[in-house]
Amino acid sequence: MRAERDVGAPAIAPVEAAKLDARDTRGDRLAAGRVALGAVVVLYLAVVLLGPMGALVAEVSRIGIGEVLSAVLAPPALEALGMSIALVAISVVVNAFVGTIGAIALVRHRFVGRGLLGALADLPLAVSPVMIGLAFLLLVGREGVLAPVLEALDWKIVYAFPGLVIGTLFVTLPYTMRELAYVLEEIGTSEEEAAATLGASAWQTFWHVTFPNVRVALGYGLLMTAARALGEFGAVLVLGGSISGQTQTATTFIHDAVEERALAGGYGMALVLGAISVVLLALLEHLKHRRARALGRTK
Amino acid sequence: MSIRVEHLKKRFGDFSTGSAGSAADFVAVDDVSFEVESGSLVALLGPSGSGKSTILRILAGLEAPDEGRVLFDGVDATHVHARARAIGFVFQHYALFRHLTVEENVAFGLDVRNVPKATSRRRANELLDLVGLGGLGGRYPSQLSGGQRQRVALARALAPEPKLLLLDEPFGAVDAKVREELREWLRRLHDEVGVTSIFVTHDQDEAFSVSDRVLVIHRGRLEQLGTPSEILDEPRTEFVAGFVGEVNVFPAEVANGEARVGALHAKVGAPDGHARLVVRSYDVKLWREDAGIATVERVVTLGDRVRVHALVDGAGSLVAQFPRRSSLLKNVEPGCRVQVEVTSARAYPRA
């Protein structure tokens, strides 16, 4: 196609009008290409994202809103949802601190093993949560290496709340830290150095210079953390065991409900998680714009 | 504040691999010692990568030397934290706090010392007036031009009344015209405020037009420290001679105080033997003479100066500079033969 245009162009060059026409057709072709590309993306998103959501809504309305609502408002469902929200809250708070400290250590400090630590922080992104759950089971499970210690201390981790917390914290570790590390790298050290030469202490520098510059990124990272914690399934299933009223989370509740053909509860809970995700997504989108603006503010 | 630097050394290695002493190591500052009098304005001049910025950052406490000492008013400050050094630092790319207004930026150094807000704001606005930015205190750095940002950075550095002002390529990031203005203005400001100031530059015009004294740095070493005229007139090393101004360098033979290369000769104060002869373009006289020793290649007019490129028999090309109206230039044109006289030159022995 390119060859055809390259050969054709000189031939029509002397005629102004023809040249304009040629430019127009090229513009049209580009526009058509853009439309086609857009269509492919929309179609893909529709099939992968909106399709299932639509099917879910359709299924819920087929079963009946009333029945679904009563299943979702029943104690086991509420307890499972509460458990998930508790895990979200814990992982957001812990990651706010660990992510910030970890990112500053990774980007601003030089120490032996820094590269290894950076790679380890990304590990949860690369490995399956189920595998991680099993690995923890080998460590702190009933037959695990640390079992005698835990027994002596009378600590119960597996099939208990601490197990859920460990699993969730592990899978959510990278999000805040990576986001902050990226932004810290991007803004560089000169503002922090300027603060130091102006007499600011390390804490004043962090609080008045570094933190305002990474605030939006922190919010962004924590939202991703929350979304990830809410949706985690494998690690909490393996480490928690999905015991109703004890270690059952919203996701394992859905799994169990579908297994037991209690479809109203399963679909209802899925819809609730979907609705929360939409809210988180909207907030992410909002922060994404603010982040772009914050990074672009000075150069 | 007077400054004394003793045997400063700084090596940069590749920390991530943990291989100290490997080939990746790079000596940025190599045994540098000098003194700066209180109240003076000093330039650290050198090509990029010469280590001049590293020296400045060591003075600021932003970098720790591997060896050597830094003394402020005779007191060892080598291990004093940047925040406790009572310095002001102006960064090459301003490093203004992007989320703070201009006024808040300037007041920052006072605010972190818990100066009452009313006082710090008043002082900030005084300084903004001083740097000619009165009334812009409410803006954000992103709403200012490069030259304005640089002046905010200077006002911010001056606000806590530092005893030493350090400027890293202060005018490197603004365009030529603004740079000229800022230079003049820095000189006047320095005379007004009187704070000891050291600035880094790779621009010799900047160094010579603004400062009282110039330190020429090359490959981490101090080549020469002197007043601008000392450095121009008595370059102590071949590097300084070659770096400052436009020069011609020839491999020459020195005998009895005279350096010879081809048909060219010049009086020099160097020992007999192989040497590099350094001749400034404005230390050459040439005039039309058919029995001369060189052939003119090009004549280029540059504003009020004329530059003549000639090929000297047995020595190679030579550049000479004249005022535009010089009578010597009469009938000098490409292709003609000229006589050449070196009025002043220096020779540096070579192995």
Side-chain angles (χ1 to χ4, degrees):
Chain A
M1 213 142 106
R2 168 122 58 115
E4 182 192 350
R5 196 167 63 216
D6 286 348
V7 173
I12 53 168
V15 189
E16 269 316 300
K19 209 159 108 186
L20 283 174
D21 279 354
R23 202 180 299 152
D24 278 355
T25 42
R26 195 195 302 179
D28 285 351
R29 231 182 287 159
L30 275 177
R34 236 170 296 165
V35 169
L37 194 66
V40 169
V41 172
V42 168
L43 195 71
Y44 179 80
L45 288 179
V47 170
V48 180
L49 293 175
L50 298 177
M53 284 296 271
L56 198 58
V57 172
E59 189 61 20
V60 165
S61 46
R62 196 187 58 79
I63 295 169
I65 298 291
E67 197 184 330
V68 168
L69 216 56
S70 65
V72 170
L73 291 176
L78 284 181
E79 278 165 6
L81 192 60
M83 187 63 71
S84 281
I85 288 170
L87 289 172
V88 166
I90 289 171
S91 50
V92 164
V93 171
V94 171
N95 274 292
F97 288 98
V98 174
T100 307
I101 293 165
I104 288 174
L106 279 178
V107 178
R108 292 287 187 260
H109 298 269
R110 297 285 173 270
F111 51 88
V112 178
R114 177 170 149 267
L116 186 69
L117 188 73
L120 278 179
D122 286 346
L123 185 71
L125 293 175
V127 299
S128 160
V130 176
M131 192 219 107
I132 292 308
L134 280 174
F136 268 111
L137 221 50
L138 289 174
L139 200 64
V140 295
R142 231 174 293 253
E143 310 286 318
V145 184
L146 295 178
V149 182
L150 295 173
E151 222 160 287
L153 291 168
D154 199 20
W155 279 2
K156 202 160 150 47
I157 291 180
V158 173
Y159 302 138
F161 189 63
L164 297 180
V165 172
I166 288 174
T168 309
L169 286 181
F170 189 85
V171 299
T172 55
L173 177 72
Y175 296 92
T176 307
M177 205 182 290
R178 276 169 66 101
E179 179 67 19
L180 282 180
Y182 164 73
V183 174
L184 282 173
E185 196 82 62
E186 193 77 356
I187 59 176
T189 54
S190 59
E191 284 183 49
E192 290 164 14
E193 288 182 341
T197 62
L198 289 165
S201 67
W203 177 246
Q204 282 172 322
T205 301
F206 172 76
W207 201 240
H208 296 297
V209 176
T210 312
F211 185 70
N213 279 337
V214 301
R215 206 170 41 193
V216 177
L218 178 65
Y220 190 83
L222 291 178
L223 273 174
M224 287 200 289
T225 300
R228 186 73 183 83
L230 190 68
E232 178 47 28
F233 175 72
V236 293
L237 181 64
V238 174
L239 286 169
S242 191
I243 304 161
S244 181
Q246 286 178 44
T247 61
Q248 196 173 49
T249 66
T251 51
T252 59
F253 174 89
I254 295 170
H255 173 257
D256 294 349
V258 173
E259 289 271 279
E260 293 155 18
R261 314 274 320 145
L263 295 181
Y267 290 145
M269 184 64 88
L271 205 60
V272 170
L273 288 188
I276 297 175
S277 298
V278 168
V279 172
L280 291 179
L281 207 62
L283 285 170
L284 274 177
E285 216 33 56
H286 171 70
L287 281 185
K288 227 195 283 187
H289 288 299
R290 283 196 49 185
R291 179 179 67 159
R293 248 185 323 173
L295 274 180
R297 230 190 284 159
T298 53
K299 266 287 131 73
Chain B
M1 186 156 73
S2 72
I3 292 136
R4 192 184 160 89
V5 164
E6 294 175 349
H7 305 293
L8 221 52
K9 239 183 186 178
K10 178 71 183 177
R11 198 178 290 111
F12 286 112
D14 192 354
F15 292 92
S16 59
T17 57
S19 56
S22 73
D25 271 21
F26 163 69
V27 180
V29 181
D30 192 2
D31 197 18
V32 168
S33 304
F34 61 86
E35 276 180 67
V36 171
E37 271 172 53
S38 186
S40 58
L41 176 54
V42 173
L44 283 173
L45 173 67
S48 60
S50 58
K52 56 196 191 302
S53 285
T54 307
I55 295 172
L56 198 75
R57 290 174 60 83
I58 290 173
L59 288 176
L62 294 172
E63 215 79 71
D66 295 326
E67 285 169 42
R69 297 201 302 164
V70 174
L71 291 94
F72 290 163
D73 281 334
V75 180
D76 191 341
T78 316
H79 302 291
V80 175
H81 192 276
R83 83 175 79 94
R85 288 195 182 196
I87 51 144
F89 199 102
V90 178
F91 292 81
Q92 188 177 3
H93 296 287
Y94 327 123
L96 297 177
F97 305 126
R98 63 190 91 186
H99 64 286
L100 299 181
T101 62
V102 165
E103 187 188 84
E104 287 166 341
N105 263 281
V106 178
F108 187 89
L110 302 170
D111 290 343
V112 295
R113 288 181 176 81
N114 296 318
V115 171
K117 202 159 182 138
T119 315
S120 80
R121 293 305 128 111
R122 199 181 57 238
R123 172 110 178 102
N125 282 301
E126 280 169 16
L127 279 160
L128 285 174
D129 286 339
L130 180 72
V131 301
L133 292 176
L136 295 185
R139 298 228 185 140
Y140 282 92
S142 58
Q143 296 168 310
L144 302 179
S145 71
Q148 288 174 326
R149 285 182 208 177
Q150 190 60 290
R151 284 183 281 164
V152 174
L154 198 54
R156 181 179 69 175
L158 289 172
E161 298 183 352
K163 291 192 195 142
L164 170 64
L165 184 63
L166 303 166
L167 307 100
D168 190 5
E169 298 269 2
F171 314 125
V174 293
D175 61 59
K177 191 166 155 25
V178 179
R179 188 153 58 222
E180 198 76 30
E181 284 170 20
L182 283 173
R183 268 184 213 166
E184 295 255 322
W185 176 82
L186 173 69
R187 180 71 236 187
R188 267 185 284 124
L189 187 84
H190 176 266
D191 295 342
E192 211 169 301
V193 181
V195 58
T196 312
S197 308
I198 302 179
F199 74 101
V200 156
T201 181
H202 63 266
D203 182 335
Q204 38 170 307
D205 289 342
E206 194 158 289
F208 293 136
S209 64
V210 175
S211 55
D212 304 319
R213 308 244 275 162
V214 178
L215 288 103
V216 183
I217 312 286
H218 177 51
R219 290 189 183 157
R221 291 185 150 272
L222 177 62
E223 295 275 332
Q224 190 168 355
L225 163 61
T227 63
S229 57
E230 277 168 7
I231 289 187
L232 281 168
D233 298 340
E234 299 154 42
R236 203 177 299 148
T237 66
E238 189 189 336
F239 173 78
V240 177
F243 186 66
V244 176
E246 189 182 29
V247 294
N248 299 286
V249 182
F250 303 99
E253 289 298 326
V254 178
N256 302 322
E258 188 162 66
R260 286 190 166 277
V261 50
L264 196 71
H265 56 93
K267 289 219 174 331
V268 292
D272 290 2
H274 298 302
R276 289 177 98 67
L277 177 66
V278 179
V279 182
R280 286 189 201 292
S281 61
Y282 50 76
D283 288 336
V284 179
K285 274 186 187 164
L286 55 76
W287 59 91
R288 183 153 186 168
E289 192 174 309
D290 290 342
I293 59 163
T295 307
V296 172
E297 290 184 312
R298 278 185 297 148
V299 179
V300 183
T301 306
L302 294 156
D304 58 346
R305 314 276 310 161
V306 173
R307 193 183 284 160
V308 179
H309 297 256
L311 205 60
V312 181
D313 298 344
S317 55
L318 171 110
V319 181
Q321 254 192 77
F322 301 92
R324 190 172 177 168
R325 299 197 189 285
S326 169
S327 58
L328 288 169
L329 285 168
K330 204 173 162 200
N331 296 328
V332 170
E333 55 197 33
C336 75
R337 293 289 285 177
V338 287
Q339 186 54 273
V340 178
E341 187 190 320
V342 175
T343 53
S344 167
R346 305 184 78 82
Y348 300 89
R350 72 192 157 105

